[in-house]
Amino acid sequence: MDFTYSDEQQMLRDSVDRFGAERWNPAKRVRLLESGDAAQRWREMAELGWLMLPIAEADGGLGGGAIEVMAVAEGFGRHLIVDPWVTSCVLVPALLAGGGDAAGAVLAAIAAGEAKAAAGLIEPHMGYDIAEVALRAEQGPDGWRLTGEKLHVEDGADADWFVVSARTAGTPGERDGIGLFLLPRDAAGLTVERFRAVDHHRHARLRLDGVTGATAVGPVDHALPVIEAAVDRAIAAHLAEAVGSMEAATAATLDHLRTRQQFGVAIGTFQVLQHRMVDMTIACEEARAMAAYATLHLDAAPAERIRAVAAGKTRVGDCGLHVGQEAIQLHGGVGFSDELIVSHHFKRQLMLDQAHGPRHHHRNRFAAAA
Amino acid sequence: MNLSFDAADLAFRDEVREFFRDGIPENWRLRVQAGLRLDPAELIEYQRRLHARGWAAPTWPKEYGGTGWTPTQQYIFWSEASEAGAPPQFHQGLELIGPIIFTYGNAAQKERYLPGILTCDDWWCQGYSEPGAGSDLAALRTRAVRDGDDYVVNGQKMWTSYAHVASHVFLLARTSLEEKRQQGISLILAPMDTPGFRVAKIPTMDEKYHTNELFLDDARIPTANLVGEEGKGWGYGKVLLDRERMVTASTAIFLKQTVWAVREAARARRVGTRALIDTPDFAAQLAQFEIEVIALQTMVLRLITDAAGGVDSGPRGSMVKLRWSSLYQRGMLLWLEALGPEMAHFCAEDDATLPPDMPAVMQGMLYSRVTSIYGGSSEIQHNIVARRALGL
Ligand SMILES: Cc1cc2nc3c(=O)[nH]c(=O)nc-3n(C[C@H](O)[C@H](O)[C@H](O)COP(=O)(O)OP(=O)(O)OC[C@H]3O[C@@H](n4cnc5c(N)ncnc54)[C@H](O)[C@@H]3O)c2cc1C
């Protein structure tokens, strides 16, 4: 057994840290978020090789595995990098892998930093159950026609391509009869509504009104297992991101307890705060263990993988929200300001917990997979 | 023991209910339920309506323009306001400095300042905290040095909420350097347009503008604006902080609004073929929240009955503040979770439409984090209960 990164993985981790320290300095964060030089950053990430890292070699990538993804995602969390790496470079490639020429071309573009893609899997009234697909795909004279709505496309606001799940047969909730389709942002009949979240990620809602020009990817009618496995990969990356963010928030808080003086002493001398700080540290330990646990089960048999990822998502969600809240509380008033990094960590934890289903959803998923 | 009201109370309740029946604009509702303060203009309008009805100051004695209501009447008033979707009144003039002025101020100060608080012609902000003095307020460093008939004030205040709206500030400043830090602190009133005052916005994580830094640079404030005795301001401040906790007790009555809001939101949202409220998970969480809100309401009722009977409630105000802030935080998180994936849709671009309760729920949820920090943090409240109730 081994819980350590290899030398190469460690180098990858260090490279994200260097990038984070240079490009995502907490003191400059608010200004950075307003400046919007995302395109430039994305190019830099392409040059560093991160964009192609998780993409299969056959699709023009480096074929990095789950641990490499973990090493990078952790750094994204530690420095709160908002660029849609997990979505575009982990989730979408897992959905598109082996999906034919059109899919391969999009993956090559992603790997080269020339395109971003996002996955539309969640619909209104779905909860977070990705089998509840109602959006219809029908064969017509000019190919597939897609009609319906995707309520929330994680990181979808600036995507050039969308991969959406659609029902080719059956009724919502059935596992069979779900296909995956690739469509360009400017597809006829597609409306993209854009939103910014509190963590400054940018999302979309899609309305598809007889969209044509979509390409079927992979096994039409039987895509659900592929989708589930891909989402689990994205979740595992998010867990690593959550751990990085928790550890950074915890470190900032420890620093604050050592330096902030009240009543003539550093507030870290108050036992009540020491114990709270200890609990935050334990939460980080636990979350790191659970993120590894989930990641190391990504290639296990589906039932085992689902339980591991669902367990990880549940525990890391709890720990992450706890740490985010405590980091603010122990900072006092400044924790609530936009200038300090801790409130940004809290907001990211909130959104990470929500992405692909919050704690309670995955607790149920864990129970159901027994 | 008895939980019911007598006939006079019931008649009073009907009167209050009547007032609120169509007094609250619909567009206030969401923000009020989310625990957000309304815009200053709206709060001023609300205060003016109350004033016109003679209800500007529910907790003040009659001689200063208050209602002279019994604690039971106050409870009824707040309950009805809560029920009607009305906000709590803006409290910094009304509950923080007003009572200090009528208790410790001189005749001229009472005459000058009290009416403006009731009508909301004056808006007060509280200049207590400083960068180095938060929980440890006695560490404040702002200096007020006598020069003829003026104090010359230098220093920096922090977290001065609504300083950008306020016409006046009440501030604590050091008028002499004593051994004991609490001595030599004075309470001074000043108009916000005093030369030498500068207000700078503090951006906060909820993306709403409510608080500021206040810089005081050779600001001349007439010594006539000193409240009570020089160097005794700390004592008044403590009375004031106690009151701030009691204000929180009244705010606790408004927590019912969060219960209703969460329920409404969960009814409106569907998961598969069911309403979210009918899913066992969510139903159980909401039930638990509501039960704890009932428990807190009943604690508040006890507190109010004691106040009516002249019993010192000791640190029970602190207990209420602790429970209130944690419940409010939990309720807002529950409401946010009811939004489902759309909780990520905080701010829309293009022609996108936000979910009906955004961004109020998210802002309210983020704002809720501060309720365990301001007005004496939860840790400080625990210390108070340990010391005052348990003698530890
Ligand atoms: C949005 C907002 C609005 C505000 N509005 C106003 C206003 O209008 N006017 C005004 O004067 N002030 C205002 N405040 C200031 C508020 O009262 C202070 O933030 C609060 O008193 C905490 O002080 P601090 O921020 O300096 O935190 P600190 O005192 O530095 O506390 C940091 C942490 O240490 C803990 N701690 C401190 N001392 C102890 C101890 N002895 N034992 C155990 N734990 C301890 C605290 O609980 C906290 O967790 C506002 C604050 C905020 C955030």
Side-chain angles (χ1 to χ4, degrees), chain A residues 256 260 262-263 267 270 272-273 329-334 336, chain B residues 92 126-131 133-136 158-161 204 210-211 367 370 373-380 383:
Chain A
H256 188 74
R260 172 68 174 170
Q262 290 286 276
F263 303 99
I267 58 173
F270 300 128
V272 65
L273 301 191
Q329 182 69 26
L330 298 195
H331 270 79
V334 286
F336 186 65
Chain B
Q92 292 190 319
Q126 178 188 25
Y128 278 24
S129 307
E130 297 184 8
S135 298
D136 180 18
M158 185 82 177
W159 308 116
T160 321
S161 295
T204 49
H210 38 90
T211 199
Y367 181 71
V370 89
I373 295 172
Y374 69 18
S377 71
S378 289
E379 290 73 27
I380 295 296
N383 289 349

